[in-house]
Amino acid sequence: MIFLWLTSVVPQLTPSCDGPDTSCNPPSLIHLVFLYTCFILLSIGSGCIRPCSIAFGADQLKHHPSLSNERVIERYFNWYYASVSISTIIALTAMVYIQEQLGWQVGFAIAVLIMLCSALMFVLGSSLYVKVKASESLFTGLVQVLVVAFNNRRIHLLPDDCYNHSEETDQVELTDNLRFLNKACVLRDLNPNSSKLDPWSVSTIEKVESLKSLLRILPLWSTGILIFTTMSQTFPTLQAKTMNRHVTSWFEVPAASFNIFMIMTLTIWIAFYDCVLAPFLVKYTHQPRGLHPKTRMGIGLVIAIVAMIVSAIVEIIRRNKAGLNTTVDMSAMWLVPQYALFGLAEAFNSIGQMEFYYSELSKSMSSIAISLFMVSNAISGLVGSLLVNVVDALTTKGGNISWLSSDINEGHLDYYYWLLGLLNLLNFLYYLVCCRVHRSSSSSQNRLSPELREGSDFRH
């Protein structure tokens, strides 16, 4: 943030301009390198903070003598996401207003001060935190499972095989799903009484089961990419620019601030669900969370489909009223329903995802559980860019005007929204298949295979 602030303060780091209403010189290589360095540092910092902060907060509750239960953890996820939403509201309102009225120098300077205060508070609270020490690299253990399983691919598991248990972590049962990975922890031609076994020669049941749990959730994880792609599109902002954004005669909502309606809906729904709906649903669903995380994920996908249908209909109305005009005498409040639906979709799907990953993976993989959610969010940006480029290339063939033309009155955003609605429908059907596959694989979890039940032994 300091580097980004410097780009607005130091003239040598910004392309020169003759005046506020004239075009600027193109940026030099030094300008681009410095700016991209800012983005890279922001990405690295976010990649370190976001997945670890929520898992670190959950550790404080898990290791608390009286608070370690599923309902408390579930409420923590809800309110963590609500706090993120509130900060986003501040960013889309107060920060945008400051930058528009006082300039980028003041806006970025305030952001720098906020980050400094945040870091200072984190350090001052260090003595109060529960700090769970990491015994070894989790990724190394997962790679070891794959390597050993591949090396042992030619062996056949027998009823009297011995399997290697970890002495350092909570012991789990060896399950019969993804059984080829069980070959990584089988003891063959090794001394089971040896005090130390080479992890690259034989793994442990705990590492094998950790990898299995990760592989089981990957199909469901992939269903969350498209919904983030749908919610992160910027075309509604272009629509808002052409519409009447005046709430009163003296106040006009900035086009970039319409996302606030999505965030407000998300925040209000989280509070309503946590305080009112969840306690009511528990009586009927017998789920500590009210609704199962997979159920909420599915509801979020369905709402995203409805949001795209509403978006397409609103765009058809806006485009018909606009005609050849650059602006249209139509209230931008017509965009609020689709933003509200996107907020509901995110509230259901995103929090459901985090809870699902956190509950499916072992405690040692809590950071990975949240990282999966963040990675799907990041990949959605790449998928969105790819989708826009493909649609633009296909629709401009033969000299036609692109659906995604910079002049949205000439293009056909409504067609693009219908396409996204169709893709989200296919994604939902894919999600149902993944749920069925996950349910069938989970039914064998915590259950030994027949051969193992007959006479297998375990090394502790």
Side-chain angles (χ1 to χ4, degrees):
M1 284 308 305
I2 292 175
F3 282 4
L4 200 57
W5 172 64
L6 290 176
T7 61
S8 65
V9 176
V10 181
Q12 290 77 9
L13 298 177
T14 307
S16 58
C17 303
D18 297 330
D21 299 326
T22 58
S23 60
C24 300
N25 296 324
S28 66
L29 179 61
I30 295 177
H31 295 152
L32 293 177
V33 168
F34 194 85
L35 181 62
Y36 291 156
T37 301
C38 299
F39 294 155
I40 291 172
L41 290 175
L42 282 172
S43 299
I44 294 174
S46 299
C48 291
I49 293 172
R50 292 181 182 179
C52 295
S53 63
I54 188 170
F56 185 70
D59 283 343
Q60 312 306 304
L61 301 177
K62 282 193 306 182
H63 297 277
H64 194 282
S66 61
L67 294 179
S68 183
N69 61 75
E70 288 188 14
R71 178 59 183 149
V72 172
I73 295 293
E74 184 263 337
R75 295 194 70 183
Y76 164 72
F77 282 127
N78 283 342
W79 289 105
Y80 182 94
Y81 213 85
S83 69
V84 173
S85 302
I86 292 172
S87 68
T88 305
I89 292 175
I90 296 173
L92 293 174
T93 53
M95 294 297 291
V96 169
Y97 179 81
I98 291 172
Q99 289 173 350
E100 286 188 351
Q101 299 298 319
L102 303 178
W104 294 102
Q105 297 91 336
V106 177
F108 283 146
I110 292 176
V112 170
L113 292 176
I114 291 174
M115 288 302 302
L116 288 175
C117 291
S118 178
L120 180 62
M121 286 191 291
F122 178 74
V123 173
L124 291 177
S126 179
S127 61
L128 306 175
Y129 302 143
V130 173
K131 302 170 186 175
V132 181
K133 294 184 178 180
S135 57
E136 59 181 348
S137 170
L138 181 60
F139 284 107
T140 302
L142 299 181
V143 171
Q144 288 169 347
V145 172
L146 293 174
V147 171
V148 178
F150 178 78
N151 293 338
N152 294 343
R153 64 190 181 280
R154 300 186 187 280
I155 70 174
H156 298 281
L157 298 177
L158 302 175
D160 58 348
D161 277 331
C162 295
Y163 295 87
N164 185 32
H165 256 303
S166 172
E167 299 176 351
E168 300 177 355
T169 59
D170 295 337
Q171 295 179 354
V172 298
E173 280 188 337
L174 188 66
T175 56
D176 61 354
N177 54 6
L178 300 174
R179 290 189 65 245
F180 64 93
L181 292 176
N182 294 355
K183 299 177 180 181
C185 58
V186 66
L187 294 169
R188 291 282 181 88
D189 301 324
L190 294 169
N191 179 12
N193 296 317
S194 174
S195 60
K196 189 70 174 178
L197 297 176
D198 181 10
W200 294 98
S201 298
V202 58
S203 188
T204 64
I205 293 177
E206 287 69 29
K207 291 179 181 178
V208 169
E209 289 303 313
S210 292
L211 180 58
K212 285 182 181 181
S213 63
L214 181 61
L215 294 177
R216 276 195 300 267
I217 67 174
L218 285 182
L220 283 167
W221 165 81
S222 64
T223 64
I225 295 175
L226 186 60
I227 188 173
F228 285 129
T229 300
T230 303
M231 292 187 296
S232 61
Q233 58 182 317
T234 58
F235 293 110
T237 302
L238 300 179
Q239 292 174 270
K241 284 185 177 180
T242 68
M243 303 170 75
N244 180 10
R245 291 176 278 115
H246 283 91
V247 179
T248 64
S249 59
W250 53 270
F251 179 71
E252 184 180 38
V253 180
S257 295
F258 268 79
N259 276 329
I260 192 174
F261 294 106
M262 180 174 71
I263 307 302
M264 287 176 61
T265 303
L266 185 152
T267 307
I268 293 171
W269 175 259
I270 289 175
F272 175 75
Y273 181 86
D274 186 74
C275 299
V276 179
L277 194 57
F280 173 77
L281 291 173
V282 167
K283 301 176 183 178
Y284 299 96
T285 63
H286 305 294
Q287 290 279 342
R289 304 174 179 89
L291 293 174
H292 192 277
K294 286 198 293 186
T295 303
R296 278 185 280 166
M297 291 166 63
I299 293 174
L301 295 177
V302 172
I303 295 176
I305 298 172
V306 177
M308 291 317 307
I309 295 174
V310 172
S311 300
I313 294 174
V314 170
E315 172 57 14
I316 291 174
I317 298 173
R318 188 207 64 81
R319 193 171 183 275
N320 289 338
K321 286 191 174 184
L324 299 177
N325 301 320
T326 56
T327 59
V328 57
D329 186 20
M330 177 180 175
S331 174
M333 294 299 115
W334 278 74
L335 299 174
V336 173
Q338 68 193 56
Y339 276 111
L341 287 170
F342 283 135
L344 278 178
E346 186 173 2
F348 275 103
N349 188 269
S350 298
I351 299 177
Q353 278 192 64
M354 287 191 292
E355 290 182 20
F356 175 68
Y357 302 150
Y358 198 83
S359 63
E360 286 290 310
L361 300 179
S362 62
K363 292 182 179 179
S364 62
M365 302 176 73
S366 57
S367 292
I368 290 183
I370 308 304
S371 296
L372 284 172
F373 173 76
M374 301 298 178
V375 169
S376 64
N377 204 334
I379 293 178
S380 69
L382 301 177
V383 173
S385 297
L386 176 63
L387 184 61
V388 167
N389 290 333
V390 170
V391 170
D392 185 64
L394 293 178
T395 56
T396 52
K397 284 186 176 181
N400 295 321
I401 297 176
S402 172
W403 289 1
L404 307 177
S405 171
S406 57
D407 184 351
I408 61 174
N409 293 331
E410 291 185 356
H412 270 286
L413 272 180
D414 51 333
Y415 294 171
Y416 180 67
Y417 289 158
W418 287 121
L419 174 63
L420 281 177
L422 176 61
L423 292 177
N424 276 279
L425 175 60
L426 296 176
N427 186 52
F428 176 67
L429 298 177
Y430 168 63
Y431 173 78
L432 295 179
V433 174
C434 292
C435 283
R436 186 175 183 85
V437 172
H438 180 267
R439 185 164 56 248
S440 62
S441 64
S442 297
S443 63
S444 62
Q445 192 175 2
N446 298 324
R447 187 178 75 238
L448 292 173
S449 62
E451 308 93 274
L452 296 177
R453 285 199 298 267
E454 288 174 6
S456 61
D457 188 18
F458 296 91
R459 173 189 179 273
H460 296 275

